[in-house]
Each structure stands twice: as C-alpha cells, then as structure tokens.
Amino acid sequence: MRSRLLRAASLGVALGAVLAWGLLTPLDWPARAFTAFLLVPLPALLLLQARVVQRVPQEEEREAVYVSSAVSVWILAALAMLAARFSGFTREELWMRWPGALPVLTGALATIAAGLALMAAARLLRIRETPLIRFLLPVTSSEKIAFAGLSISAGIAEELVFRAFLMAALLRAGLTLPATVGLSVAIFAVSHAYQGLAGVLRVGLLGALLTAPILLTGSVYPAMIAHAALDLIAGLVLAGWLTGEAEH
C-alpha cells in the first residue's frame, strides 16, 4: 500500500512538473526548468522530508544541521542566479537595484518591527513549537555562532531564490503581480514544512511581510537584511523563552 502511494505521489509530482513546464513557455529554458523545479518537485520533496523526519537528532548533530542547511540554500541561490543569468534577466527584473541607504534601512527596520510583532503574537497565543524546532535552537556559544551563519545565509540566499528569482520568473511568464506574490509566498511557506502546520502558516505571514519592502522600494536588499535579522532574533529569543518555560 505504501509503495503504491509513493508511486502515485511520484507520478503526481512528475505530471505537475510537466504542467508547470508547459505553463512557463515565455521563459528561456534555464529559468523555465528551475522555476518548474521550485513550483513542484522542491515543495514535494520538502513535504516528504517533513513527514520522514520524525526523530529528533542527537545534540551533537545540531551544528551539522546548520552547516548542511546553509550549504543547501546557497546551492539553490547559485542555481537561481545561473538560471537568471543564462535566461537574460536584468538586475532590475531580479529586484537587485540599490535605491539608497535610507529606503533600504527604513524598509528593513519596518519589516523587522512587523516580524517581531508576529513573533510576539505567536507567543501570546501560546503556539507551541515542535520537538524538532526546539532541537534546532542553539544552546552553546559555538552553536550560536553557527546559527548566526545560517541566519545570514538564509536571509540572503532564500530571498534570492523565493523573492528575487521566483517573482521575476513568474512575472516574466505572464502572471499578475498578486498571483506572483501569492505563489511565491506559498512556495516559501511550504519549503518550511518541517516546522509543522503552525510554522508553515507563520512563515507564510513572514513571507508576505518580507515581500512588502521589495514592492515598495523595488529592491530585495531590505528583505535580505530583515530576513537575516529576524531569523537570528527568533533563534536566540525563542531559545531563551523555551529555556524559561523549562525552568518553570
């Protein structure tokens, strides 16, 4: 029974990828192929990973998880930029323009403030983190340094993939701006399926917040700064909150 479900799921993913390929005809093949991968196979793989990863790893594996995750997002970002480069995307299409220090800092700080409000709301609603998320929070000094590296990596690389490239590709493929934003936010949220349903919803809201400064400034840089800062704050602050809960 399980093998039949796996075959059916594999067939569904393959058909979805073919459908996505067909709908992305305005794109040159490198961007077309990578966008189709982001829309179907990648979310499917990450959903499967979320179902498979049930056990909490041993504590000595925590830093290894940080490193492997950072490497993974940088590989995705490199592939996205290569696909964009060989498909003729301009820096403006990729939201990689510099609007000036003031708009970048203002957009980043406003997004950080909104993200912190989202974190506080989750805290007030007493949303519990999954055992895996609790494990992933840094404890030792060396883990906090490694986690900071992961936060910066995610802030830059994930914005390049899910905002800069994916939004540019979907717009070039002919989608409207609302559809582009909604689809990119949804893919970004599903890519964090390991965080559980509440985590996916939270990441979806965060994705919407991170998109706002991009649309307002025409630049991905405020979102990169805010994303990295919020990941870092979330890891350190959430770790402190959970430690306090354990002591009580």
Side-chain angles (χ1 to χ4, degrees):
M1 181 65 179
R2 190 171 183 177
S3 61
R4 289 180 181 177
L5 289 175
L6 184 58
R7 286 197 295 269
S10 300
L11 178 60
V13 169
L15 291 175
V18 170
L19 178 61
W21 174 269
L23 294 174
L24 297 169
T25 49
L27 300 178
D28 291 336
W29 77 261
R32 189 178 178 187
F34 193 66
T35 303
F37 171 72
L38 291 178
L39 292 179
V40 183
L42 180 63
L45 287 171
L46 293 174
L47 284 169
L48 178 62
Q49 179 192 54
R51 291 182 62 86
V52 171
V53 179
Q54 296 180 354
R55 74 175 186 89
V56 175
Q58 298 299 314
E59 292 201 4
E60 59 266 28
E61 298 178 14
R62 188 181 284 117
E63 289 185 48
V65 172
Y66 299 157
V67 173
S68 63
S69 297
V71 170
S72 296
V73 294
W74 278 118
I75 289 174
L76 281 177
L79 291 173
M81 293 301 98
L82 285 172
R85 171 67 179 83
F86 288 105
S87 299
F89 282 68
T90 65
R91 290 181 63 85
E92 288 71 22
E93 282 183 288
L94 294 169
W95 314 89
M96 295 178 70
R97 59 181 291 271
W98 181 257
L102 183 59
V104 168
L105 291 177
T106 301
L109 290 174
T111 307
I112 291 170
L116 292 176
L118 181 62
M119 289 171 54
R123 173 70 172 172
L124 289 173
L125 292 172
R126 299 183 180 276
I127 296 175
R128 294 186 61 82
E129 303 297 336
T130 65
L132 182 59
I133 292 298
R134 289 172 176 261
F135 159 76
L136 289 173
L137 296 173
V139 176
T140 67
S141 297
S142 62
E143 287 174 355
K144 290 177 181 178
I145 293 172
F147 186 84
L150 173 59
S151 297
I152 295 170
S153 295
I156 298 173
E158 288 186 355
E159 291 306 311
L160 286 175
V161 174
F162 296 107
R163 243 73 65 185
F165 173 81
L166 185 56
M167 286 176 56
L170 293 175
L171 287 171
R172 183 181 274 203
L175 271 69
T176 64
L177 182 59
T180 292
V181 171
L183 191 52
S184 65
V185 167
I187 297 299
F188 177 64
V190 172
S191 72
H192 293 76
Y194 69 91
Q195 296 187 19
L197 179 58
V200 168
L201 295 175
R202 181 174 54 203
V203 171
L205 292 174
L206 177 61
L209 291 177
L210 290 168
T211 305
I214 298 176
L215 299 179
L216 292 173
T217 66
S219 173
V220 73
Y221 299 120
M224 286 181 176
I225 296 171
H227 190 156
L230 286 169
D231 276 6
L232 184 57
I233 294 170
L236 300 181
V237 172
L238 187 56
W241 282 347
L242 294 178
T243 300
E245 288 178 0
E247 291 176 351
H248 289 84

